[in-house]
Amino acid sequence: MPEPRTSTPPRPAATLTRRAFGRLSLPERRFVTNALRTETVGGVLLLLAAISALFWANVPVLHDSYERVGHYHLGPESLGLHLSVAHWAADGLLAIFFFVAGTELKRELVDGDLKDPKAAVLPVVAALCGMAVPAVVYVVTSTAGHGSLDGWAVPTATDIAFALAVLAVIGTSLPSALRAFLLTLAVVDDLFAILIIAIFFTDRIDFAALGGAVAALAVFWLLLRKGVRGWFVYVPLALVIWGLMYNSGVHATIAGVAMGLMLRCHRREGEERSPGERVEHLVRPLSAGLAVPLFALFSAGVSVSGPALGEVFTKPEPLGVVLGLFVGKTIGVFGGTWLTARFTRASLGDELAWADVFAVATLAGIGFTVSLLIGELAFEDDAVLTNTVKAAVLTGSVIAAVLASVLLKVRNAKYRRLYDAENRDDDLDGVPDIYEEDEPEYHLRMAAIHERKAAEHRRIAAEKAAERRRLAEVSGRAGVDENGPA
């Protein structure tokens, strides 16, 4: 007689869901905290640079000097590198920015959130939707107004430094999970933005120069694999790679991404940090504190007169950029996140609501550095339209920043409680308590701390009681003396 078949008991409902925007691992949290600290400082410098550019370009007595400095040419003409200052900022300094982006993406893929495909789905889908929807919004708006479709990629980028600067200015204590999501979203966003630049904004290719760049990149990779160390080796080689890539016709910032992706970003036994993490730690301040602000200084100087701002909302191309940034980005990032969570059965972290995700999606509508770069590439043959599109980038970013600030401020009291809970370190060991609450050693340390506090309070109580008795005795003797014989 065959044995009766037993059905597998259903799994508890809790195992069918996972957390979206849940607690970060401790190493990931430390990396994100350090990265965001640098980017926040860089974002404030970026804001100051943008404001300075607007002031410099719009004050009548200074306007001509802004144009002269931006168009001043320098560099070896024999190497094809006799470029304007603005050109050096866009093609040269931004290569440093994209080098950091490439390194950060590599680290995310091998040692960060993107290493786990299940965890990677959410920010990747959110980033893709956050690029696709703004492009669609631009195309629809521009088509309806019979405008050019060349700027479809302008509103697709998110500027993490600018977004973090907004967070710093408004003083919100955004939980680390949401900050990490914003950072990862921007990293993926940067990758696809550079692919767009490489594919859609390369008009000509010099295969000899491109072959030289590829050969130099191979040497760069081989030196890394052999463990050769020393900035005096890699910096000159990086400059050669950049120069060859520029002369190939492919946008020179591609060189930065390629070199960043080649760095080893996983730790070997005995290593506190991988080479990629060490290099990124050294180069990120240069990118955030110098390269990006200088690019903004020579790219954000557009006219903000009444007629110029009026064209932002009346011409189809700039209007498409504005709507793409603060409407398309919000819908794309939030919609992609919600759909991913819906179909992967992911639930939000404790005390977070979809309103928080919507606010972060709105914050992602701040597109500055890469949007300005793509705007210059898309309309490089039309200086007037280029300036109008730049004004649209600034306008859309400001609208997104203001709206996000209002939405985040409404929830800031809750964010403050979450932030304090995430950073509480009652046992004073340098590790937040939320990462140790399942460890017996943590509770033993806390018991010892409380016992010391209890002993101290008992000592203070005994002293206070003795002092009170002493005062009572003194008061009693004084009363006897007063009632005694004269």
Side-chain angles (χ1 to χ4, degrees), residues 383-444:
V384 175
L385 189 53
T386 297
N387 286 332
T388 307
V389 166
K390 285 184 177 182
V393 170
L394 294 173
T395 303
S397 298
V398 168
I399 293 173
V402 171
L403 181 58
S405 299
V406 172
L407 295 175
L408 291 170
K409 268 297 187 182
V410 170
R411 301 273 292 173
N412 199 41
K414 176 166 284 189
Y415 295 155
R416 171 57 65 181
R417 291 196 298 272
L418 290 173
Y419 180 85
D420 291 342
E422 287 179 353
N423 290 277
R424 194 181 72 250
D425 183 20
D426 290 339
D427 62 343
L428 305 176
D429 66 343
V431 178
D433 293 342
I434 58 173
Y435 292 98
E436 302 179 305
E437 290 173 346
D438 293 331
E439 298 177 4
E441 294 80 7
Y442 163 76
H443 293 283
L444 291 174

Side-chain angles (χ1 to χ4, degrees), residues 22-43:
R23 183 190 305 170
L24 302 176
S25 66
L26 186 57
E28 181 71 7
R29 174 196 170 98
R30 284 173 172 164
F31 174 83
V32 168
T33 300
N34 291 333
L36 293 181
R37 185 181 298 117
T38 304
E39 291 290 354
T40 300
V41 174

Side-chain angles (χ1 to χ4, degrees), residues 311-325:
E311 289 182 349
V312 169
F313 296 98
T314 55
K315 284 189 174 182
E317 296 90 350
L319 180 60
V321 170
V322 172
L323 294 177
L325 284 172

Side-chain angles (χ1 to χ4, degrees), residues 63-76:
H63 175 77
D64 289 342
S65 65
Y66 181 80
E67 294 293 327
R68 284 197 304 272
V69 173
H71 290 94
Y72 180 78
H73 282 64
L74 68 160

